Amino acid sequence: MPSDSRTLSSIHNPINRNDFRDVAGWIGEARTAELFLRHGWDVNQPVLKTVPYDLHVRKGDRSEYIQCKYRSMYRGCVQVRNQRRKVDHTKKFRYDFDLIRYFSIYCRNNDNVYIVPTSLISESFSLRIEKSKNNQQLNTHDAELYLEPEWVTQ
């Protein structure tokens, strides 16, 4: 009988947490690529997972490296942290903002992609998608401002 390296738990639950992160990441990348392609950009994806960005986009003389995120809304916001995981998901690192100038945040709840400059992100960043019940505005940013920004659509 051939040996099977899967554990009993992976047989009952074929998608583990790291697999879900990969699939969610692909969805975020695909939706971001679609946005840029729709506006006439060339979109390239790195061959290796070890580079610190997900997409390289180019239009004319402009070239940008984009880090893509897949997020779910929680209490009307989506939040992004300034950290990435090593390929094997064991260690966290900060992003290199000298190379990456934009985050794309795909929100699965409303199927929108938001393009956020990394200059706004220190430790974490919250996008307010729905109006808060207590009218809180501190430490959040209006998501509408980052939905298809002018530099992408021109």
Side-chain angles (χ1 to χ4, degrees), residues 102-138:
Y102 295 95
F103 274 116
S104 77
I105 304 167
Y106 171 69
C107 177
R108 71 176 188 88
N109 304 88
N110 64 6
D111 195 36
N112 282 330
V113 176
Y114 302 94
I115 307 295
V116 178
T118 56
S119 60
L120 298 177
I121 300 170
S122 55
E123 292 297 319
S124 66
F125 182 85
S126 293
L127 275 179
R128 169 67 58 194
I129 294 175
E130 295 177 345
K131 186 173 171 75
S132 67
K133 292 178 183 173
N134 65 358
N135 203 23
Q136 177 199 6
Q137 296 177 349
L138 191 63

Side-chain angles (χ1 to χ4, degrees), residues 8-152:
L8 184 58
S9 63
S10 69
I11 293 170
H12 289 99
N13 183 10
I15 298 180
N16 67 39
R17 186 175 182 182
N18 292 338
D19 291 338
F20 175 76
R21 283 187 181 141
D22 288 342
V23 171
W26 294 330
I27 294 169
E29 290 169 22
R31 295 293 285 129
T32 301
E34 178 186 14
L35 169 71
F36 280 95
L37 288 168
R38 192 171 62 236
H39 293 290
W41 290 75
D42 294 326
V43 177
N44 300 292
Q45 194 172 32
V47 175
L48 302 174
K49 288 176 111 180
T50 56
V51 296
Y53 62 89
D54 292 320
L55 296 175
H56 173 246
V57 297
R58 190 181 62 213
K59 186 176 191 181
D61 292 338
R62 186 159 186 173
S63 176
E64 300 292 349
Y65 293 95
I66 310 289
Q67 177 61 41
C68 303
K69 296 294 181 185
Y70 174 102
R71 291 291 184 265
S72 297
M73 192 167 31
Y74 177 71
R75 295 185 178 177
C77 287
V78 292
Q79 187 175 38
V80 174
R81 293 186 182 152
N82 179 8
Q83 66 183 24
R84 67 182 178 97
R85 294 181 186 273
K86 197 173 170 184
V87 174
D88 62 3
H89 301 282
T90 59
K91 192 171 182 181
K92 297 176 184 177
F93 298 92
R94 288 171 116 5
Y95 286 103
D96 178 6
F97 289 158
D98 291 335
L99 178 65
I100 301 168
R101 294 191 31 212
Y102 295 95
F103 274 116
S104 77
I105 304 167
Y106 171 69
C107 177
R108 71 176 188 88
N109 304 88
N110 64 6
D111 195 36
N112 282 330
V113 176
Y114 302 94
I115 307 295
V116 178
T118 56
S119 60
L120 298 177
I121 300 170
S122 55
E123 292 297 319
S124 66
F125 182 85
S126 293
L127 275 179
R128 169 67 58 194
I129 294 175
E130 295 177 345
K131 186 173 171 75
S132 67
K133 292 178 183 173
N134 65 358
N135 203 23
Q136 177 199 6
Q137 296 177 349
L138 191 63
N139 297 325
T140 63
H141 301 267
D142 182 14
E144 290 295 317
L145 299 175
Y146 305 100
L147 192 60
E148 297 197 22
E150 189 175 309
W151 70 269
V152 173

